[in-house]
Amino acid sequence: MAGITGKDEVLTEYAQRLETLEAPKGRSLTQDAIRRLARNKAAVISIAIVVFILLAAFIGPYFVPWGYSEVDWTSIRKPPDFSKAHYFGTDQNGRDMLARVLQGTQMSLIVAGVATIVSVVIGIIYGAVAGYLGGRVDALMMRIVDIMYALPYILFVIILVVMFGRHPVLLFVGIGAIEWLTMARIVRGQTLSIKEREFVEAARAGGAKPWTIISRHIVPNLTGPVVIYATLTIPEIIIAESFLSYLGLGVQEPQTSLGTLISFGAPVAEVLPWMLLAPATVLVTLLLCLTYIGDGLRDALDPKDR
Amino acid sequence: MLGYALRRVLSAIPIALIAVTVCFFVLRLAPGGPFDGERALPPTVLANLRAHYNLDQPLIVQYLIYIWRLLQGDLGPSMVIDGFNVSQLISIGFPFTLTVAMTAFVIATVIGVIAGMIAAVNQNKWPDYVLVLAVMLGVVVPNFLMAALLQLWFGVYLGWLPAGGWVAGSIPHLVLPVTVLAWPHAARISRLMRGSMIEVLGTNFVRTARSKGLGQRLVLARHAIKPALLPVVSYLGPGLSYLLTGSLAVEQIFGLPGIGKYFVTAALNRDYGIVLGTTILYMFIILALNLIVDLVYAWLDPKVRYR
Amino acid sequence: MPPRSILAKSQISASLGVKALDDKTVEITLEAPTPFFLQALTHYTAYPVPKHLVDEYGDAWTNMDHIVANGPYKITEWLPGSYVHSVKNDDYYDAANVQIDEVYYHVLEDQAAALNRYRAGEFDILTDFPADQYQWIQDNLPGQAHVDPFLGVYYYVLNQEKPPLDNPNVREALSISIMRDVIGPDILGTGELPAYGWVPEGTANYEGAAYMPDWAKMPYDERVAKAKKLMEAEGYTPDNPLTLQLRYNTNDNHQRIAVAIAAMWEPIGVKIELFNAETAVHYDALRAGDFQIGRAGWLLDYSDASNTLDLLKTGTMQGDTMNWGNNYGRYSNPEFDKLLAAASSEQDLTKRAGELHEAEALAMDQFAAIPIYWYVSKNIVSPKVTGFEDNAKDVHRTRWLTKSE
């Protein structure tokens, strides 16, 4: 899955830029970028839409009349019906599609978010250790990363899900545990370049522990890369999750996810189109917006484009 | 260069071995076995079957037997598909998967590079917007949905193309599966190409070339393409690996007898041999491809030294 | 490494009571008169195996290069997981009347994709179709969908080895609060008939009225009220529900039924955790008794009531472990076992049917399992194909079919 959105290239470049600057300027680079991002209309609109989707997914369920697992025995597989407050119709179990789409969006976002956090944490630890220790250990650790880039991940995810069952937590961990490679590379580069600076030398001479140095001086510089990383990783994970759902390896009922909803909607596109339209629209919009935000960030960090 | 290639291959072996080992034990520890079906087998039959496949031995012994056979090039039997061994199944399924994936790979790469160039040259004009949007559809629509919709539209409503299946040498049968596979790949390539082309076009030496009065095409052909291709090339390895594994859904929907289908059903049926064999094959191919990509990359970018 | 065998060959043949009298006659000695025996011989496990091939090739006798056929068709090509190609067997005794020259049997995981390809004219017969499309097929492809009763029961097993499902009152509450009438027509959409008994209607050697419990005739809200009372007596209410896990194997239809039934159980004070897993894991758990409620289904191997009733028979001791076979819920009732044993040696068919009916009523009155619906066979047959007759076993031999272009 690595490289689906080309995030490796974007981030490596950005990290290199950060490395060549002094630490305080690194922050102003990020501030500059935010200013430029604010001038990019597509990105700003996308951010607004994503925020709206986030709010709808997490707060919306409190305002819709039906619960996501509530069965309305009088409307089974019915098209949108405003008199019964089924604004998106119902599924074959008589459950409200609007409530299910909101819950599914929430689940997809949680899976993607947690998987991203897992991969960021693993990446930071791995990259920082490699960069800090340097030398042979570093060479070996990075060689492992290089090779792991080449493994057929989706196969491993399938094996993991088959092994541990369909629990959402396992989806988070399973996907997150193999998405950390890019992050590890960047952190390692940062660590390598910062390690040699005087203030780090001074801190080390003063008896600071390696972990303190990493968390005080290196991690703060990673805000920028982590934001881009998350923007680009979330779509990948949402797509991967939807693929697993198609194979029947998605989350357990009555919980659902966008991928699960779409994989149930796709076969009935002709007869119950509302079951496909709502989740597919949300998924496509969400992914398009995240891509535009990613593009915007990329452009914002690359002043040459102007 | 040969030494570099050799070192890369050798350093990949331990990782591959670790991956195989992890897969082996994870699979065996997963609940359920290859003989758990809807109906209970009589205990004596089950015992015989388990003995036949050495499943009654301690796990570590089974592992050693597997590795020993693997070193001799034997991927073992299939425990669910009676009368076939894993190598036979791979030799049946792999050509299909490879044909579809490679066709998609070549077409998508060519289209992606061209589209990316057009978009870059017309940056922020209408061809750019149209191309970006057209291409993005391939990334944001899950491929199983794309496959189902294209099948319905072109196979059923319009009847222009076969809705599925495979006839040796028939190009129409390839069109839909290849389209579904190629679209997202072309999308990513074109995005990479667009970005790097914009950057290259902004560099001094291209500006110099232009100021010398060289035409747009000549500038592109002589100076811009080669450096702009670098990120594309470095993506080709992971890209092909994505195509190969991405064919799982495509094979199921279009009913292609490919290896991805075997993998999924085998993982669900606990047909250990097929799961491991397919994983090993994929790893092998992807590692080899990455090596080739690295060598091509080095050829394109003289700055890279073989470490 | 040579394959090892647990059971020696001599052990098997001595206990079987099967003898070849001459080249074309076989003598089978039964332990007791078995009215369904000839029926049972039509099951594929009783098909002849060419001994000379097995002797010559061992396990490889099923290879395409070695296999021989005595039926109207012979296999020429097999791509596992994809298709089987067979052509007419000219050596077949009735070859002159076999109309279709070659058949491709395709294997498809994705039913919606299969239907699409049927509509594109790529297939002539589908042996299953997505239930959601049934109405659409009836409207747009009139007469092509064949939905017919099929000898089989879809049911939930209840693990009776452990509390709380060892308690017949809890089992009763669960069973009577299921609104079976909505499952076939609404949840699935193909109109499967509700099942209240254990033996499908139309099963051979089973004269007499089908089992129909009194509660089935009660209005649904009264049933729920009764179930609520039963659960309350055990100390469970919707505010203090009994939590049970319901396992099913991954499949759209199983999922829908599980979701619907979980919703029906909510008001009586039962909270259901759904758990789906692939077939191998699901049945592994059922066999190991590692479940509370599990989905199962039984399609009759041969048309006889004993075929389903055996599913509720106490297991047999083998060594020091009890082999429960397909009785996943481990229902055990000596009286039920006695009735089945009596029926198995009963020569008078009417009397035998009576004993089996009695056994069925006994087990169902104790809610040994929860039958949900009777299976239907679902086929789609192209108008080009003639000779396709619906039957309760859903067997359609190509030798009886013809296809017009």
Side-chain angles (χ1 to χ4, degrees), chain A residues 208-231:
Chain A
K209 294 222 171 63
W211 188 242
T212 324
I213 297 173
I214 290 172
S215 59
R216 285 253 177 85
H217 301 288
I218 298 174
V219 173
N221 274 322
L222 292 172
T223 326
V226 166
V227 171
I228 313 184
Y229 179 83
T231 332

Side-chain angles (χ1 to χ4, degrees), chain A residues 3-4 9 143 147 150-152 154-156 162-163 239 242-243 246 270 283 287 291 295 298 304-305, chain B residues 8 11 15 23 26 30 136 139-140 142 144 157 188 191 198-199 234-235 245 253 270 282-283 286 290:
Chain A
I4 285 181
E9 284 73 21
R143 189 77 202 96
I147 294 168
L151 297 179
I154 199 74
L155 305 194
F156 290 124
V162 157
M163 160 88 197
I239 285 278
S242 75
F243 179 64
Y246 170 73
E270 274 178 298
L283 181 97
L287 295 192
T291 322
D295 279 1
R298 186 187 325 213
K304 263 185 303 185
D305 272 6
Chain B
R8 289 234 15 196
S11 67
I15 301 280
C23 284
V26 164
M136 282 312 297
V139 183
V140 298
F144 62 89
Y157 292 161
R188 290 177 206 116
R191 281 162 59 78
I198 288 174
E199 196 166 310
S234 66
Y235 173 67
T245 49
I253 290 178
R270 304 290 185 273
Y282 275 133
M283 274 194 308
I286 293 168
N290 274 293

Side-chain angles (χ1 to χ4, degrees), chain B residues 139-152:
Chain B
V139 183
V140 298
V141 179
N143 65 352
F144 62 89
L145 176 60
M146 176 92 78
L149 295 179
L150 291 183
Q151 181 183 54
L152 194 62

